[in-house]
Amino acid sequence: MSAPLKPSSMETLPSGLTGLAADWASDQRAFKNVSWGKAMMWIFLLSDTFIFGCFLIAYMSARMSTTVPWPNPSEVFALEIGGVHVPLILIAIMTFVLISSSGTMAMAVNYGYRRDRRKTAALMLITALFGAMFVGMQAFEWSKLIAEGVRPWGNPWGAAQFGSTFFMITGFHGTHVTIGVIFLLIIARKVWRGDFDTERRGFFTSRKGHYEIVEITGLYWHFVDLVWVFIFAFFYLW
């Protein structure tokens, strides 16, 4: 007669949230080769994805359920240049600038792992400049629409929900870009001073010769760029 089986490790775990936390903490492989900074950034980006996703779903629900015609983006976001009505020209420039900043950020990460601090800092500053240009153009877009009568509760062209969804989604994204620009300037300054080579004490300073914080900043910046692609597609092109 065979000996009775011993209870598995799963049966010895506490029940409820305590057991879930204990089971997750016992995993020796999921985050073994990932730094805490990079892991926390991925978790933050995942949670932010849910927030932006909820905003876009709410926008699409409001747009499809309204009985009042939705304002035409080609007319609302048009600029008059030389007496010619050019639709979406400002949005196209904003998109080009932000996507270009993603390229300079990727180059900064590349040079960071090569420990070329001058090129890394310069490319991060260029990325921050692109981000500041984007925010500046978005501020111009907001001021233009406000001057034309767009409010969160109404607008001159159609469905009242247009203003609230526009200001909520673009404002939330613009806040992310602004925060990214601030962090880019902070990290670029540290890279330029050589804080990661001399192991100078301070916030966001990692181990000597370790430029991983540049990559972590890049993860955030690429996420902001990717979110804008969805906003551009659903809000301006639809």
Side-chain angles (χ1 to χ4, degrees):
M1 185 174 181
S2 59
L5 296 175
K6 295 182 179 180
S8 64
S9 58
M10 288 296 293
E11 295 173 348
T12 62
L13 289 174
S15 60
L17 293 177
T18 304
L20 178 64
D23 183 40
W24 184 264
S26 66
D27 195 332
Q28 298 295 313
R29 293 174 295 178
F31 299 107
K32 188 172 184 178
N33 297 320
V34 180
S35 68
W36 69 267
K38 192 181 295 185
M40 292 301 102
M41 177 55 73
W42 277 114
I43 292 173
F44 167 75
L45 295 182
L46 180 63
S47 64
D48 230 19
T49 300
F50 292 141
I51 297 175
F52 275 109
C54 289
F55 281 173
L56 289 174
I57 291 172
Y59 154 71
M60 289 186 285
S61 299
R63 181 165 180 174
M64 290 186 293
S65 62
T66 181
T67 57
V68 182
W70 196 263
N72 186 356
S74 297
E75 297 177 3
V76 176
F77 301 108
L79 289 180
E80 190 170 331
I81 302 175
V84 179
H85 211 59
V86 184
L88 298 176
I89 181 64
L90 180 63
I91 311 305
I93 296 173
M94 291 168 62
T95 303
F96 175 78
V97 167
L98 203 59
I99 291 177
S100 298
S101 72
S102 195
T104 55
M105 188 68 239
M107 294 171 65
V109 173
N110 184 24
Y111 281 109
Y113 277 110
R114 296 183 187 182
R115 300 185 182 180
D116 190 334
R117 62 185 181 88
R118 294 192 179 277
K119 289 183 179 178
T120 302
L123 286 165
M124 293 186 76
L125 289 174
I126 293 173
T127 305
L129 176 62
F130 281 147
M133 290 171 59
F134 177 88
V135 174
M137 287 185 283
Q138 191 171 67
F140 171 79
E141 179 190 38
W142 274 43
S143 61
K144 174 180 174 293
L145 293 179
I146 291 173
E148 292 174 350
V150 179
R151 300 291 187 273
W153 53 86
N155 65 87
W157 300 292
Q161 298 94 327
F162 171 82
S164 58
T165 54
F166 171 77
F167 288 125
M168 177 183 67
I169 294 174
T170 60
F172 193 61
H173 178 266
T175 302
H176 278 69
V177 176
T178 304
I179 294 172
V181 169
I182 294 172
F183 270 90
L184 281 167
L185 294 174
I186 293 173
I187 302 303
R189 179 172 179 264
K190 286 182 170 293
V191 171
W192 185 267
R193 292 192 311 182
D195 288 5
F196 301 105
D197 296 317
T198 60
E199 208 170 3
R200 182 172 179 172
R201 294 177 62 85
F203 290 108
F204 310 115
T205 304
S206 58
R207 300 188 302 274
K208 185 173 182 179
H210 204 65
Y211 285 77
E212 189 181 58
I213 187 64
V214 178
E215 182 185 2
I216 294 173
T217 308
L219 288 174
Y220 176 86
W221 194 257
H222 293 316
F223 170 79
V224 169
D225 291 354
L226 180 61
V227 168
W228 177 254
V229 172
F230 285 95
I231 295 175
F232 177 74
F234 285 103
F235 210 99
Y236 296 99
L237 297 183
W238 182 15

